[in-house]
Amino acid sequence: MTNPERLTVVVGISGGIAAYKAVGVVRGLVLAGHDVHVVATDAALRFVGRPTLEAISRNIVHSDLYEGVAQVRHVAIGQSADLIVIAPATANTLAKLATGLADDLLGTTVLASTAPVIVAPAMHTEMWQNAATVANVATLRSRGIAFVGPESGQLTGSDSGPGRMAEPDAIVAAALALVPGAPAAEGAPGADPGPAVDGAPGADPDLPTRHDLAGVRLLVSAGGTREPLDPVRFLGNRSSGKQGVALAVAARDRGAEVTLLAAHLEVPAPEGVDVVQVETAKQLAQAAAEYAQDSDVIIMAAAVADYRPASIAQTKLKKDAIGDTMTLELVKNPDILASLAANRRADQVVIGFAAETAGDTAELLRVGREKLERKGCDFLVLNRVGWLRGFAVDDNAVVVVSRGGDIVMEASGSKAAVADRILDVLRPSGS
Ligand code: CTP
């Protein structure tokens, strides 16, 4: 299931003076350990600056429906959300949500999401009490949208009455209460249980953990292979195995029977999965071919050495014998993923990974789609790597493409959260 410890939270900000208080909402959610992505309307950005929101959320702010079209961002943000918080929600935004309007990024994001949504209205009393708004609020409540506030108090200008946006800490607490198990930051906004929330879907703390992979046999490789040169040296790569292990853990937690082909993991192998240690690409190829036969899903997350030394010295290579330069002859290793895909049963799902040093997402997608075609797998998980990006860190950002090149998933956040989202492609209905 969704990792409640680190949710992907979309904070939608619409254009009211209370937008400045949305900064506190974003901050409270970040302090509680969540991955927060702001979707702001153009009007919101007239009240609060993009740099402020980016600095506080630690992510880029999305506002333009026509940005990131190649990644189908207008729906991808909503699809990846575990929780959507709209603060402030103006009368205009409530009206648009009630009618399902999708003429801006916030509208498309909400429509494309199945996550719980909570809104914090903010407007003048007359607007809040207007029959149109009352009807819109009733419609939204009937669809399970939760409300926090508004409170009664001093409004912008000299008037006062109901319409004031709830305080950020109350919004954070009410929002996190919608997701069972989501922690609030200690001593930070959100620690207070907050006001009662109407129509809160999924707020039942006794909801069972999703067990949608029960009965599925899943084979996943993780880590990086090492190709020996001599008894003390090898050719290797920088893969830590964290993402592959996170996949094994997430699949195990969702009920799958997991076999992990472990190639030099820098993290402990998880409990509750069968672990098979491998050293080289050839050993990984052998183990993969053997265990693939009994697997329903195969995920090749390991970084496999494409080449190995043509010969392995039996004793330590010595500089004296080699001289000032050294030429290594390498031979190609088998392409494990391609052969698993070529030999798979009709009912098997084969997923590959591609870590590319692409300059931008468009190039990543171009290279990834070519690779998917070449490898013949069902899905390819793409991410960008570089000297300082992608390896050994705890976060990841991926795009998953399917055969035919469609983007079926975009996810970012902790490797655990990303793993969970990757497994969702096995259950497109989200069952
Ligand atoms: N892979 C594999 N066997 C190999 C090389 C790679 O099974 N000999 C798998 C990896 O586990 C990964 C996918 O193929 O799932 C893509 O790996 P990558 O190194 O990006 O692909 P390569 O075919 O090696 O292409 P490149 O020339 O870009 O390195």
Side-chain angles (χ1 to χ4, degrees):
M1 62 165 282
T2 296
N3 176 11
E5 303 281 333
R6 187 166 165 82
L7 301 171
T8 300
V9 185
V10 170
V11 175
I13 306 179
S14 61
I17 192 77
Y20 80 92
K21 292 208 298 198
V23 176
V25 175
V26 172
R27 185 169 165 71
L29 289 163
V30 169
L31 285 177
H34 303 295
D35 183 26
V36 180
H37 297 263
V38 171
V39 175
T41 64
D42 289 340
L45 293 177
R46 299 180 74 157
F47 289 98
V48 58
R50 185 186 288 268
T52 305
L53 293 166
E54 296 198 335
I56 302 295
S57 71
R58 303 173 192 167
N59 278 312
I60 58 167
V61 167
H62 304 284
S63 59
D64 184 354
L65 198 49
Y66 297 99
E67 124 206 308
V69 173
Q71 299 101 284
V72 207
R73 192 166 294 158
H74 70 292
V75 291
I77 298 170
Q79 287 170 336
S80 67
D82 298 316
L83 174 66
I84 297 181
V85 185
I86 303 176
T90 58
N92 182 51
T93 294
L94 292 179
K96 286 168 74 169
L97 290 175
T99 46
L101 273 184
D103 64 347
D104 63 10
L105 194 59
L106 184 55
T108 58
T109 297
V110 174
L111 280 188
S113 179
T114 54
V117 179
I118 184 166
V119 296
M123 64 199 74
H124 285 275
T125 304
E126 295 80 351
M127 297 169 90
W128 176 245
Q129 292 175 342
N130 184 285
T133 306
V134 170
N136 290 332
V137 169
T139 302
L140 292 170
R141 281 198 161 122
S142 73
R143 290 189 199 138
I145 302 245
F147 279 73
V148 50
E151 293 171 358
S152 216
Q154 179 73 50
L155 303 171
T156 312
S158 56
D159 49 346
S160 68
R164 197 180 136 104
M165 189 172 90
E167 287 308 304
D169 56 350
I171 296 171
V172 170
L176 294 178
L178 297 182
V179 183
E186 227 173 274
D192 181 319
V197 178
D198 298 328
D204 180 356
D206 295 321
L207 274 185
T209 302
R210 187 150 54 125
H211 228 236
D212 58 349
L213 298 182
V216 172
R217 291 163 304 175
L218 186 137
L219 179 66
V220 56
S221 67
T225 60
R226 289 181 180 177
E227 306 299 327
L229 276 166
D230 69 11
V232 293
R233 303 182 181 95
F234 59 83
L235 297 178
N237 60 67
R238 296 176 58 209
S239 177
S240 64
K242 283 184 177 176
Q243 187 63 74
V245 167
L247 278 160
V249 169
R252 176 201 68 191
D253 290 349
R254 284 165 70 163
E257 220 176 278
V258 180
T259 301
L260 174 66
L261 303 179
H264 303 284
L265 303 180
E266 284 175 19
V267 286
E271 293 188 358
V273 310
D274 289 334
V275 180
V276 180
Q277 304 283 355
V278 296
E279 181 82 21
T280 63
K282 270 169 88 177
Q283 286 175 7
L284 179 56
Q286 267 170 11
E290 186 185 330
Y291 287 92
Q293 292 175 14
D294 289 330
S295 303
D296 305 306
V297 177
I298 302 166
I299 306 181
M300 281 294 296
V304 186
D306 289 326
Y307 294 89
R308 64 181 184 277
S311 61
I312 302 171
Q314 293 309 308
T315 53
K316 190 178 168 195
L317 294 165
K318 289 290 189 185
K319 282 196 293 294
D320 287 353
I322 296 169
D324 288 344
T325 60
M326 178 181 177
T327 306
L328 266 181
E329 197 192 346
L330 303 175
V331 292
K332 216 175 188 173
N333 273 326
D335 190 320
I336 306 169
L337 178 63
S339 84
L340 288 170
N343 296 311
R344 74 162 149 229
R345 294 193 315 263
D347 60 340
Q348 268 177 335
V349 179
V350 180
I351 302 178
F353 268 70
E356 304 289 348
T357 52
D360 56 27
T361 309
E363 191 193 341
L364 178 71
L365 286 169
R366 186 183 55 71
V367 173
R369 285 174 174 137
E370 274 173 24
K371 189 168 280 188
L372 181 108
E373 191 72 24
R374 211 168 55 236
K375 303 265 184 182
C377 50
D378 298 294
F379 299 100
L380 199 63
V381 181
L382 304 171
N383 70 328
R384 281 167 65 201
V385 291
W387 291 108
L388 299 174
R389 184 201 275 262
F391 294 111
V393 294
D394 292 325
D395 284 6
N396 203 359
V398 303
V399 181
V400 182
V401 286
S402 65
R403 248 199 284 180
D406 289 340
I407 296 173
V408 291
M409 177 76 68
E410 254 190 305
S412 63
S414 68
K415 287 186 174 172
V418 167
D420 226 9
R421 300 280 296 147
I422 292 170
L423 294 178
D424 285 343
V425 305
L426 302 171
R427 293 280 179 274
S429 62
S431 63

